[in-house]
Structures are given as structure tokens and as C-alpha cells.
Amino acid sequence: MLDKFVHEIADNQLVAAFAVVGIIVWVSNLLARHLTGGRVHGSAIAVLAGLALAYWGGLVTGKTKGMADLTLFGGMALMGGAMMRDFCIVATASEVQIDEARKAGWLGFIALFLGTLLPFIVGVAVAMAFGYTDPVALTTIGAGAITYIVGPVTGAAIGASSDVIALSIATGVVKAILVMVFTPVLAGFMRLDNPQAAMVFGGLAGTVSGVSAGLAATDRRLVPYGALVATFHTGLGCLMGPSVLFLAIKAIAG
Amino acid sequence: MVIFGTALLAGCYLLGVLLGDVLGALIGVKANVGGVGIAMMLLMAAQYHMRKRGLMRPETEKGVTFWAMMYIPVVVAMAATQNVIVAVKSGPVALLAAFGSVALCACVISLINRAIHRTGAAAAWQAGAPAAELD
């Protein structure tokens, strides 16, 4: 009987993922209501629970896709993959009030540039402090601090070694997870309570996964505004990383 | 029909991603440049014009809003498939670089948003009803 059930799930992974995520969200809502008295958003707990399950999945399988490496939860990879994520982000645009978005247009632009430059500078500074002097390595690690896609794209373009690229991916992944976890915590400090603020946040915090999960856990209505700007973040980073930023680092360190 | 809404969404998504790829190729970047953002703007424009002409029936809207509602569950699934082990075990360089950039950006966001607040631009929006959670 149990064998049959497991077999059934393995054959219907995406549907199984819907059920599993439904249970995670349901339990998280219960915890939010009864344990925190509604102070912590149910979705914030659900995202944290997801990360915890990903840790557990990685521990059990020793692979890279968190829970999705377990056969029973393989559907999570499709449900939580880039295709579904981007499809749903685009759908949230139907809730955007165009006038609100227009008001922050230029601010979002400035935020995008700052969101590319500032993490890069921090990343390069930290790498320098730990004894890296090669401009290629410095640029790649700095680019990783922008997002975990900009890091490897930049590294590959300027010929970084694979351990440096791995380090830059790790930097970006840690950043995305920090943004997911700390956005709801710091929402008050960042005054994250209106569409303009969400667009500034989307540009500066970067990483689509971090921004979208962080905003979802803060106030769902803000998601489309943040995501609208954040989706340009990786593109801008991939544009500036191997070109302007690399040349600047080469001029300084090389 | 619900499928018209979902098909509209799919069309905007594909066209946006395609334009993002073309844009990336034009400026010589090995990545999609703002494809999702372009798709979002296409969807907003399409809905604006269709609503004006009365083509956006409630049924059609449902084909879009369902996916907008599925957003949080998808994000939870995404969180559950992150490489958290690498993040936890990565050395001090990754941790410090990530932590430093998040902290610095949070401070800059706070600065900018406090400036917006002073102009009073945010007040009107805050009066709106709170969002429904996870439904």
C-alpha cells in the first residue's frame, strides 16, 4: 500500500508538489496565527520553512536542489523553477496601478544603478580583505554580491577559475537568502509600505528571488512593484560586470 | 473563458522573454535583459486597452489572477529548492560579502524611502485596505 502511494507520487510529481506546498502554507498560517498572534506573516514563515526543508533535503541527498533532489518532492523543482516563478511574477503585474508605478520611475532607475554598484564594491572590498589581488577574481566575487547569476556570467566572460566562480555563486545565494529572511524583519526600518518604496527596494536589493520572496512575506500587494524593477537588475549586472566594472577593477588593482 | 486570460498572460510572458533575449544579444550580454519586466509592462498595456474596450470579462481576468495568487506558493517551492547547504557552509568571504551588501543596501533603501515619506507621497496608498493573505 505504502509502496503504491510512493509510486503514485513519483509519477505525479508536480501535482504532489502542489499538495506539499499547500500543507506547508497551511501549517505556516496556523503557526503565524497561534504562535505569533498574527505579528509574523504566514508567508514569511512558509518561506523560512521552505528554506529549512531545502537544508534538510540537501543534507539527506548531498545534492544542490534542496528538497527537489528527493524523488518524492521532485515536482518542487518545476513548481519553484524559474519558469513558474517568472510566469507568476508577470501575472502579478495585473495588480499594478500604473500611476503609482510611473511616479517612481526615475527613482527605480537610480536604485537599479546603486543596487549594482554598492554590492559590487562591498564584494570587492571583502575579497581584497581576504587577500585576493587578481582583478579577475575580485570582479567575479564582487559580481556575485550583485546576484548569483551575475557572478558566474561575469566570471565566465572574463575567464575566472571555477573555484572563484563557485565562491561568487555562494555569495549570491547567501545574499538572496538573507534578503528573503530579513526583508520582513527590516520592513519597518526600510519604510517598505508603499509602491514607490517597493520599487526602490526592488532596484537596490536586486536578486529577483530574494526581492519577490521578501516582499511576499511583507505585503503581497507590493510584490509587482518590487519585481518590476528587480527583473532589470540581473540584466544590468550582466551588462556592467564584465565591462565597466571589470575595467574599473583592472585599473585600480591590476 | 478563463483560458483567454491565461493565454494572454502566456503570450505577454513569451514575447517579453524573447525581447529580453534580443535586447541582451544586441548589447552583447549573455543574459536575458529585463525580459520579465518587459512582459509585465506588456501585460499592463494589454489589460489597460482591453478593459477600455470591454474585452476583459471577469472570466478572462480570472485566468490571470489565479496565477498572480499562485505566486506565494511558487515562492515557497522556490525557497524549498535553494542550495541552502552551500549558503550555510560557504566561507567567510561569501558570508561577509553578502551580509555587507545587504546591510548597506538596507540602509540606502531606508534613506531614500524616508525621503519619499517626507514628501508625503506614500500617505494616500497606505490608507488602502490590507492585502488578503495567502488566498
Side-chain angles (χ1 to χ4, degrees):
Chain A
M1 187 60 204
L2 190 67
D3 269 8
K4 243 193 171 135
F5 187 65
V6 170
H7 189 77
E8 224 39 82
I9 289 179
D11 273 353
N12 299 282
Q13 291 186 332
L14 181 60
V15 176
F18 289 149
V20 171
V21 172
I23 293 167
I24 295 174
V25 170
W26 177 63
V27 172
S28 302
N29 274 359
L30 281 183
L31 287 176
R33 200 169 310 140
H34 297 294
L35 225 64
T36 73
R39 269 188 304 272
V40 179
H41 232 279
S43 22
I45 296 178
V47 169
L48 276 182
L51 290 173
L53 288 168
Y55 181 79
W56 171 70
L59 218 54
V60 172
T61 62
K63 291 180 190 161
T64 57
K65 281 189 297 180
M67 233 183 147
D69 285 320
L70 296 156
T71 320
L72 279 186
F73 304 112
M76 301 287 264
L78 181 54
M79 184 175 172
M83 179 174 72
M84 289 289 274
R85 183 195 69 194
D86 292 346
F87 192 62
C88 291
I89 289 180
V90 174
T92 62
S94 62
E95 298 160 9
V96 168
Q97 292 165 19
I98 296 175
D99 294 336
E100 291 289 344
R102 207 175 280 159
K103 264 193 263 174
W106 62 274
L107 258 179
F109 205 68
I110 293 172
L112 263 179
F113 271 97
L114 284 177
T116 307
L117 270 182
L118 296 179
F120 182 76
I121 292 169
V122 172
V124 171
V126 170
M128 273 180 163
F130 277 85
Y132 286 89
T133 49
D134 170 30
V136 170
L138 287 173
T139 308
T140 306
I141 295 168
I146 302 174
T147 78
Y148 58 82
I149 296 174
V150 176
V153 167
T154 302
I158 61 179
S161 63
S162 73
D163 57 320
V164 169
I165 290 182
L167 185 57
S168 86
I169 296 175
T171 307
V173 171
V174 174
K175 184 190 175 192
I177 290 170
L178 286 177
V179 173
M180 281 183 210
V181 173
F182 283 105
T183 302
V185 180
L186 295 174
F189 169 68
M190 295 190 292
R191 295 285 194 273
L192 210 53
D193 54 11
N194 65 81
Q196 283 83 18
M199 289 175 79
V200 170
F201 170 75
L204 263 157
T207 103
V208 177
S209 44
V211 165
S212 48
L215 283 178
T218 307
D219 181 347
R220 217 198 72 86
R221 293 178 302 165
L222 296 176
V223 168
Y225 300 99
L228 188 62
V229 179
T231 56
F232 286 94
H233 194 268
T234 293
L236 184 65
C238 292
L239 179 64
M240 290 177 68
S243 55
V244 190
L245 296 177
F246 178 52
L247 292 177
I249 294 301
K250 226 163 121 181
I252 295 168
Chain B
M1 298 264 273
V2 169
I3 186 64
F4 294 156
T6 307
L8 174 71
L9 173 59
C12 291
Y13 173 90
L14 292 173
L15 191 58
V17 173
L18 179 73
L19 288 173
D21 269 335
V22 170
L23 192 59
L26 277 180
I27 51 184
V29 180
K30 276 183 237 153
N32 191 294
V33 177
V36 173
I38 297 169
M40 290 173 89
M41 288 185 240
L42 287 173
L43 181 67
M44 283 190 270
Q47 281 192 314
Y48 177 78
H49 286 289
M50 286 174 75
R51 277 184 194 136
K52 232 171 47 182
R53 300 208 173 97
L55 289 169
M56 223 37 206
R57 305 236 163 85
E59 282 281 287
T60 312
E61 296 261 13
K62 274 187 205 159
V64 181
T65 44
F66 172 77
W67 292 103
M69 294 294 172
M70 277 303 280
Y71 178 70
I72 287 175
V74 162
V75 162
V76 172
M78 179 190 77
T81 52
Q82 297 290 313
N83 196 350
V84 181
I85 297 270
V86 158
V88 172
K89 284 197 184 146
S90 62
V93 177
L95 287 178
L96 273 177
F99 206 87
S101 54
V102 170
L104 179 63
C105 286
C107 291
V108 176
I109 293 167
S110 176
L111 263 174
I112 297 179
N113 286 347
R114 275 159 211 252
I116 301 178
H117 260 259
R118 222 162 287 140
T119 66
W125 197 78
Q126 276 169 279
E133 280 173 39
L134 293 171
D135 53 5

